[in-house]
Amino acid sequence: MGQGTEFGLVDVDEAETPGDEWEEIDVSDTEADRIARKRDREFNQFQERIKDADQFKVEQSVFDDATFAALYKLVQDGYVEAFGGPLSTGKEANVYHALGDDREVAVKIYRINASNFRQMRDYLEGDPRFEGLGGQKKDVVLAWTKKELANLQRAKAAGVRVPEPIATERNVLVMEYIGTEDGRAKRLGEVHIENPQTAYEVMREYMRRLYSAGLIHGDLSEYNVVFDEAEGQLVLIDLGQAVTVHHPNSRDFLERDCRNVASFFSRQGLDVTADELLAFVTSPEPDPSRD
């Protein structure tokens, strides 16, 4: 990240302001569930091809039939044409490189048997979009996937650079691929920052725009921000856990985000504090937390 890098923040006038209108999140059965129950010949052939693919072999124990059906439906709908290798692996999800209809995409597959789905519930409970969510593990993971899609859409509308959300089916999310021919974009903590002041100003503006749109990232640090070399921009990722400003723990999550971001840039030599960052983030007009 060089001295003269242009981050290209979106013009404030061009950003939509979603306000306090919340998306409805439906966790009922999808077409993928129906495909999995039907299990016709074409689906069975697709499932066997995916199971035989090297990048998916180690995951057979955690992908149920409906997950394969979700991939099958996304291929049928033209969102994915070919699968590549894994970009990242985690406890809750794996992200794979893939080819979409006219561009490269990232395919994020959440494990239904996620090990810490109880922590997922901590972020979902209190969110007005998920009132009445049941306790089944499947419902929690499906809601989490739809929540990430909705959060990405809201962040993008607010002028925050995030991977463009493309489609979702059950526990699978298709989004813009951020990276080069050499691989995924590097995280902020993996690159040498020659102009930390500019990077910090971009980060705090992103946080403020999220807050203005009624969202708090909830797990923000140098590990959930990547540098897009092609555009010379910082990109926020992993918005699955982002909560609304009306979530009962939203203030705690926001204060933790501010501590993480301020701590990182302090290590880059800047004189910044979590309190100053918090004051900046929470001073948009209008303040959505006071609705």
Side-chain angles (χ1 to χ4, degrees):
M1 295 175 60
Q3 184 83 16
T5 298
E6 290 291 333
F7 287 89
L9 276 173
V10 178
D11 191 316
V12 174
D13 294 334
E14 295 181 359
E16 299 177 19
T17 305
D20 197 33
E21 299 173 358
W22 305 116
E23 310 86 348
E24 289 188 13
I25 304 294
D26 181 10
V27 297
S28 58
D29 279 4
T30 70
E31 182 63 22
D33 293 285
R34 290 185 281 275
I35 291 172
R37 287 194 293 268
K38 185 179 178 183
R39 293 187 61 86
D40 61 18
R41 181 173 58 84
E42 289 186 2
F43 167 63
N44 287 335
Q45 290 174 345
F46 173 84
Q47 186 176 25
E48 288 306 313
R49 287 198 303 272
I50 292 293
K51 284 185 175 181
D52 289 341
D54 289 339
Q55 67 267 36
F56 291 105
K57 283 182 178 177
V58 296
E59 302 301 337
Q60 290 187 38
S61 62
V62 295
F63 287 176
D64 58 11
D65 286 348
T67 299
F68 287 112
L71 295 173
Y72 177 69
K73 181 67 166 54
L74 289 165
V75 170
Q76 281 189 321
D77 291 344
Y79 294 114
V80 179
E81 292 187 356
F83 291 98
L87 295 171
S88 65
T89 58
K91 292 180 179 179
E92 295 84 26
N94 284 6
V95 182
Y96 296 90
H97 191 197
L99 179 64
D101 54 354
D102 60 353
R103 58 177 167 172
E104 296 173 283
V105 296
V107 178
K108 190 171 191 176
I109 304 175
Y110 279 100
R111 293 180 172 87
I112 295 300
N113 294 320
S115 59
N116 59 349
F117 80 103
R118 289 185 179 85
Q119 183 179 350
M120 289 181 172
R121 287 198 62 90
D122 292 341
Y123 286 95
L124 293 172
E125 290 177 347
D127 189 317
R129 296 172 292 181
F130 301 95
E131 292 181 358
L133 180 68
Q136 290 189 14
K137 187 179 296 187
K138 184 200 77 169
D139 289 343
V140 171
V141 176
L142 299 194
W144 190 269
T145 309
K146 290 180 179 292
K147 179 172 184 265
E148 181 159 16
L149 178 75
N151 289 342
L152 288 170
Q153 291 170 333
R154 183 174 287 264
K156 186 175 184 291
V160 178
R161 183 67 176 96
V162 295
E164 178 188 351
I166 298 173
T168 185
E169 181 65 45
R170 205 172 179 270
N171 56 317
V172 182
L173 172 64
V174 181
M175 55 190 162
E176 174 189 6
Y177 169 69
I178 308 293
T180 67
E181 294 180 356
D182 298 327
R184 65 165 178 82
K186 292 185 177 180
R187 302 178 190 274
L188 190 60
E190 297 173 333
V191 299
H192 173 65
I193 305 175
E194 295 184 16
N195 193 346
Q197 182 64 43
T198 300
Y200 174 69
E201 290 174 3
V202 171
M203 282 291 295
R204 71 174 191 169
E205 179 64 21
Y206 281 176
M207 294 174 70
R208 189 180 198 177
R209 291 186 183 190
L210 275 182
Y211 185 84
S212 181
L215 283 180
I216 292 163
H217 188 284
D219 191 27
L220 192 57
S221 72
E222 65 270 26
Y223 302 108
N224 285 327
V225 183
V226 299
F227 178 62
D228 183 357
E229 294 182 22
E231 296 183 358
Q233 287 186 321
L234 296 180
V235 184
L236 300 192
I237 62 172
D238 293 339
L239 270 76
Q241 75 292 315
V243 300
T244 74
V245 294
H246 302 295
H247 189 284
N249 297 324
S250 63
R251 187 72 176 193
D252 292 338
F253 294 152
L254 178 58
E255 290 177 356
R256 184 177 63 191
D257 285 353
C258 289
R259 288 195 300 271
N260 290 340
V261 172
S263 175
F264 174 76
F265 283 102
S266 293
R267 297 195 299 273
Q268 307 305 310
L270 298 188
D271 183 15
V272 297
T273 68
D275 289 342
E276 292 171 347
L277 178 56
L278 180 65
F280 178 87
V281 171
T282 55
S283 59
E285 292 294 339
D287 183 345
S289 68
R290 301 188 184 280
D291 291 342

